[in-house]
Amino acid sequence: MSLFKKIFGSNKDASDEENRSEYNHPKESILPIDEQFTYNFKKNGGKFLYCENLDEVKEQFENILEENDWFESDALCFEPKLYSLLEENKINFTNPSQPKFLLASCENLIGDEGSVLFSSNQIKQYKPHELPDNIVILATTSQILESKSDGLRVIKKKYDKDYPTNITTFKYFEKVQDEDFLTYGSCAKNLYLLLLEDL
């Protein structure tokens, strides 16, 4: 009991009672991992586009290009499996001089913080600040995991002994208004996620 309450008595008001009861109740119910990721990803400023099939992926990708006027521009892409998306839309990705965006897949999507886990397989040895400000990610629902440690475990199992380097997460997808020590050094990216249903 605080010194002031001992001296002046315990005068409980409604707001004090509300604050106290707030701590006695369990936090909001635990969401399924996919909903948790979606909620946290959007809260971090990411743009989320759900796709049921590859035709929808192509359609949504074209919508992104149209929205940002990126047709016939330059893009950065290191994954041959994604080249066809760029070729279909006349996007130059061989020796781009001024890439407008990065097109990539990812290692995993991290539910508890709404972040995207990358490795050198997607971004080579580039640091976040060296990549374009705009990023378009193609991922699947089966890549959603609960935490970073789960993501690292999957990487370790997937690559056995030939581990990728430059493992990093992107968490902030818009400029933070009030920077604090948690966001210090982070590099905000304008990120679109094309999430393909595969479960």
Side-chain angles (χ1 to χ4, degrees):
M1 185 177 239
S2 77
L3 179 63
F4 289 109
K5 284 187 181 174
K6 284 183 183 176
I7 295 172
F8 298 112
S10 180
N11 223 0
K12 296 179 186 175
D13 60 15
S15 66
D16 187 35
E17 197 62 45
E18 284 174 21
N19 289 341
R20 194 170 302 127
S21 66
E22 188 176 297
Y23 296 109
N24 295 335
H25 294 302
K27 292 192 176 184
E28 62 187 60
S29 63
I30 296 178
L31 295 171
I33 193 68
D34 55 343
E35 289 180 34
Q36 187 181 11
F37 170 77
T38 305
Y39 173 79
N40 290 329
F41 179 78
K42 286 176 156 180
K43 189 174 77 173
N44 292 342
K47 297 173 183 81
F48 176 83
L49 300 158
Y50 175 79
C51 305
E52 289 187 359
N53 53 50
L54 286 173
D55 289 334
E56 283 188 23
V57 168
K58 290 177 184 179
E59 182 184 332
Q60 293 293 1
F61 182 64
E62 287 174 13
N63 291 340
I64 293 168
L65 295 177
E66 187 176 340
E67 178 185 323
N68 294 286
D69 194 23
W70 290 340
F71 284 108
E72 298 182 15
S73 63
D74 287 3
L76 203 56
C77 184
F78 304 110
E79 300 170 80
K81 66 183 179 184
L82 299 176
Y83 290 169
S84 63
L85 266 178
L86 297 169
E87 290 168 342
E88 287 172 16
N89 293 288
K90 298 184 173 91
I91 308 287
N92 173 41
F93 56 92
T94 53
N95 300 319
S97 56
Q98 298 246 287
K100 297 277 188 189
F101 65 97
L102 166 71
L103 176 64
S105 64
C106 64
E107 292 295 339
N108 293 108
L109 304 169
I110 309 302
D112 66 358
E113 61 180 29
S115 63
V116 182
L117 183 65
F118 293 100
S119 76
S120 56
N121 292 328
Q122 295 87 36
I123 59 174
K124 299 296 180 198
Q125 298 307 317
Y126 286 85
K127 306 236 179 318
H129 68 276
E130 297 170 332
L131 294 168
D133 289 337
N134 303 297
I135 299 177
V136 180
I137 302 300
L138 177 58
T140 59
T141 50
S142 62
Q143 289 179 282
I144 301 174
L145 300 174
E146 189 170 343
S147 67
K148 274 187 209 171
S149 58
D150 294 333
L152 295 174
R153 244 189 316 278
V154 167
I155 288 173
K156 187 175 180 183
K157 185 177 179 183
K158 181 179 178 182
Y159 296 105
D160 196 27
K161 290 186 172 62
D162 191 22
Y163 300 126
T165 56
N166 197 20
I167 297 170
T168 187
T169 56
F170 288 15
K171 182 177 178 182
Y172 299 102
F173 312 121
E174 62 186 5
K175 189 77 174 139
V176 180
Q177 300 294 338
D178 301 317
E179 291 195 19
D180 60 13
F181 75 96
L182 293 174
T183 60
Y184 181 76
S186 67
C187 186
K189 298 291 181 185
N190 177 32
L191 194 136
Y192 292 88
L193 173 63
L194 297 169
L195 187 65
L196 177 62
E197 177 65 62
D198 71 339
L199 293 174

